Amino acid sequence: SQTIHQWPATLVQPVGSPLSLECTVEGTSNPNLYWYRQAAGRGLQLLFYSVGIGQISSEVPQNLSASRPQDRQFILSSKKLLLSDSGFYLCACSTGELFFGEGSRLTVL
Amino acid sequence: AQSVTQLDSQVPVFEEAPVELRCNYSSSVSVYLFWYVQYPNQGLQLLLKYLSGSTLVKGINGFEAEFNKSQTSFHLRKPSVHISDTAEYFCAVSPSGGYNKLIFGAGTRLAVHP
């Protein structure tokens, strides 16, 4: 079965600083990959999804971007963080069912 | 557009009592339905899913859910909860009938008290 690794697990960044969250998947190939954000006390919002290398679809306009340089690597980035970017970011993988990583908690101060 | 409504943001319950977490969805097409559980500072774990067939679906940890097409509901139930069931529970729908691009509800926080 697939395993999803996310890092860093926790991150505290100042407003205006860049961001890079990484997600790698093991145990499968050609997965669909997703980035979700969970804001405090709220549900999950789909940010990006990818069906293959270099193929990224954005679900909502925002300050973030995503890239998929390799089949099992999915990166979430920002050039300048905003306070509203704080949240719990979850990477997910689907080759059938949807599996989630352990998440990365971002606090922007 | 499809949406998922979890009617209760928080559900307090005593240990060994039964619990029902409510979920309603809106969709004009066939859907897949899911319940996920999230323990503090962790990712989401699949509890159960409805794809087709029997409307009563059994999942892990003693949970079950019933798909009701006429009421567009997929409520989660457990006859006797444990302290360890304290967590956030998310209902989700796949509007395309597949596993991609799930739409999640806002979540229900289940708090089990001794």
Side-chain angles (χ1 to χ4, degrees):
Chain A
S1 63
Q2 51 267 69
T3 303
I4 303 173
H5 300 284
Q6 286 190 242
W7 71 91
T10 305
L11 192 61
V12 180
Q13 292 286 95
V15 169
S17 64
L19 171 73
S20 180
L21 299 180
E22 191 159 342
C23 169
T24 57
V25 180
E26 295 178 355
T28 187
S29 58
N30 302 316
N32 290 343
L33 297 174
Y34 307 83
W35 278 111
Y36 283 87
R37 176 170 59 200
Q38 185 179 18
R42 300 175 68 178
L44 279 77
Q45 180 185 35
L46 178 62
L47 302 177
F48 301 95
Y49 74 95
S50 171
V51 298
I53 296 174
Q55 301 179 62
I56 309 294
S57 296
S58 175
E59 290 296 297
V60 293
Q62 58 203 314
N63 183 44
L64 303 168
S65 62
S67 61
R68 185 170 178 176
Q70 301 180 44
D71 180 48
R72 290 175 288 177
Q73 184 183 29
F74 204 25
I75 298 171
L76 185 69
S77 304
S78 174
K79 293 182 179 179
K80 289 185 178 182
L81 284 168
L82 306 172
L83 287 173
S84 57
D85 292 324
S86 293
F88 193 50
Y89 289 83
L90 289 160
C91 179
C93 162
S94 168
T95 55
E97 293 185 12
L98 193 65
F99 292 93
F100 286 85
E102 293 295 307
S104 295
R105 183 165 301 282
L106 170 66
T107 302
V108 183
L109 301 175
Chain B
Q2 289 80 12
S3 65
V4 177
T5 302
Q6 291 184 242
L7 297 162
D8 306 295
S9 60
Q10 296 185 58
V11 174
V13 64
F14 287 108
E15 194 173 19
E16 298 183 4
V19 70
E20 179 180 78
L21 306 183
R22 296 180 292 169
C23 172
N24 287 88
Y25 69 94
S26 66
S27 177
S28 59
V29 299
S30 296
V31 296
Y32 290 177
L33 293 158
F34 306 82
W35 274 99
Y36 284 84
V37 60
Q38 183 183 34
Y39 299 101
N41 294 310
Q42 294 187 26
L44 276 70
Q45 179 183 6
L46 181 66
L47 271 179
L48 48 80
K49 62 188 177 191
Y50 171 78
L51 306 181
S52 64
S54 174
T55 57
L56 183 62
V57 180
K58 293 188 182 298
I60 62 172
N61 300 341
F63 284 94
E64 63 181 31
E66 186 160 17
F67 170 58
N68 188 319
K69 187 174 182 179
S70 62
Q71 297 186 9
T72 60
S73 67
F74 191 53
H75 301 333
L76 181 70
R77 293 191 288 261
K78 186 169 182 178
S80 176
V81 294
H82 302 130
I83 296 288
S84 59
D85 292 322
T86 295
E88 190 94 21
Y89 292 80
F90 291 94
C91 181
V93 59
S94 173
S96 62
Y99 292 98
N100 294 319
K101 298 174 65 175
L102 266 63
I103 297 171
F104 286 84
T108 297
R109 173 114 182 110
L110 175 64
V112 182
H113 302 285

